[in-house]
Amino acid sequence: MRIATWNVNSIRSRIDRVAAWLERTDVDVLAIQETKAREDQFPLERFEALGYEVAHHGLSQWNGVAIASRVGLEDVRVGFDGMPGWGDPVVPEARAVGAVCNGVRVWSLYVPNGRALDDPHLRYKLTWLEALAVAGRGWLAEDPDAQIALLGDWNIAPTDADVWSVAYYEGRTHTSPGERAAFQGVVDAGFQDVVRPHTSEPGTFTYWDYTQLRFPKRQGMRIDFALCSPTLAQRVVGAAVDREERKGKGASDHAPVVFQVGE
């Protein structure tokens, strides 16, 4: 089974590219982030024409997450227990949707950005990740053999090797000690990065800003990850970042991340 995660930065703007990519890559399950669409705006028919069922959670032109699967889509869940909200009044955002696809509990996650080190949104981000770690630890305590994939845009570069310039990101979000500790908290809860072992070459990134020619200059970040439970991680036999999909007109600023699950 081939599973992928991709922040598409507006599904309505990228649907042609997403559909073409699915046809070309033979992916069975795609976790999508930043759909930027309400339920009635999501181009469901394009996915159904390709043989995919879709679970989508979108509330407005911001955020939005989805799972497209051609190997089954069962027990859909919106949000996870304890997931904090944002705003005034505080409400849950469209940042997490889960479903069982061919025996694997897949989560599409769009972790809050954090905005700036002195912004309240950063505390929201850290609290959100802490809640995810607590939920994940609970899932594995309930069933140590559970096959769970936490996929998405984590908005964190967990090591210095995950950014093009350590100096550039000093004093900014995505690389702060608190954010890296929060990411590690999910790892410590029992979830393994299954992509890094197969994509350890220097300069392997998943995101490049649209400005200042970041992509052609190879000035990116690795912020999109697949963290899997131990039982599922043992089945992963390969992974790759599809950097080519970041090229060309109308590309998202993120590249798809794909991994292969064996028997």
Side-chain angles (χ1 to χ4, degrees), residues 104-158:
V104 175
R105 163 64 68 181
V106 174
W107 282 96
S108 181
L109 306 171
Y110 181 43
V111 176
N113 181 279
R115 299 178 182 170
L117 296 183
D118 59 353
D119 194 299
H121 205 260
L122 181 61
R123 170 42 53 188
Y124 168 49
K125 178 179 189 175
L126 299 180
T127 303
W128 200 95
L129 286 163
E130 289 164 4
L132 176 61
V134 170
R137 188 176 290 108
W139 298 332
L140 293 181
E142 183 179 333
D143 180 7
D145 294 325
Q147 299 192 58
I148 304 171
L150 307 180
L151 313 179
D153 176 359
W154 295 75
N155 271 313
I156 297 173

Side-chain angles (χ1 to χ4, degrees), residues 153-171:
D153 176 359
W154 295 75
N155 271 313
I156 297 173
T159 74
D160 287 351
D162 296 317
V163 295
W164 69 273
S165 169
V166 174
Y168 176 81
Y169 288 102
E170 186 174 352

Side-chain angles (χ1 to χ4, degrees), residues 1-6 20-32 52-53 67-72 101-104 106 149 151 194-195 198-199 226 228 232 235-243 245 256-263:
M1 182 165 60
R2 287 170 60 80
I3 304 176
T5 181
W6 191 4
W21 186 81
L22 286 172
E23 290 186 285
R24 185 169 67 251
T25 59
D26 202 33
V27 161
D28 296 299
V29 181
L30 174 61
I32 306 170
Y52 291 86
E53 299 176 84
I67 299 170
S69 172
R70 63 180 188 183
V71 291
C101 307
N102 192 25
V104 175
V106 174
L151 313 179
V194 298
V195 177
H198 302 279
T199 58
C228 294
L232 180 59
R235 298 176 57 201
V236 176
V237 295
V241 177
D242 190 352
R243 188 179 186 277
E245 192 55 35
V257 178
V258 187
F259 64 100
Q260 180 76 33
V261 177
E263 294 299 327

Side-chain angles (χ1 to χ4, degrees), residues 15 28 39 52 61 68 80 222 261:
I15 184 56
D28 296 299
E39 302 299 326
Y52 291 86
Q61 73 272 29
F80 50 84
R222 188 202 293 254
V261 177

